[in-house]
């Protein structure tokens, strides 16, 4: 799994940080940041966070 983030698209909704707090956080402006690559136990949460992102700023690439 690989995650890409388009910070220009991020609207600061925070769904990512709420869904996968071990993987995502928000900076002082509310923009998504990636804390770490998801471990096997966090991959499902990272996928959900990407799907919930209202602006499509998070893309989860499988493989």
């Amino acid at each position: 799994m690989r995650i890409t983030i388009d910070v220009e698209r991020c609207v600061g909704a925070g769904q990512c940080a709420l869904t996968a707090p071990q993987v995502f956080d928000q900076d002082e402006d509310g923009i998504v940041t990636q804390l770490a690559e998801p471990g096997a136990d966090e991959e499902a949460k990272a996928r959900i966070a990407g799907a919930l992102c209202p602006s499509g700023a998070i893309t989860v690439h499988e493989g």
Side-chain angles (χ1 to χ4, degrees):
M1 166 181 287
R2 182 174 58 87
I3 297 171
T4 56
I5 297 172
D6 184 347
V7 296
E8 297 297 320
R9 292 183 73 174
C10 181
V11 296
Q15 295 302 308
C16 54
L18 292 172
T19 305
Q22 300 295 338
V23 180
F24 301 106
D25 199 1
Q26 292 175 281
D27 67 14
E28 61 276 352
D29 295 321
I31 303 300
V32 62
T33 60
Q34 186 173 349
L35 298 174
E37 291 296 323
D41 58 331
E42 294 292 322
E43 286 185 356
K45 291 179 183 178
R47 285 185 193 96
I48 293 168
L52 289 175
C53 180
S55 64
I58 298 170
T59 304
V60 177
H61 308 273
E62 299 296 334

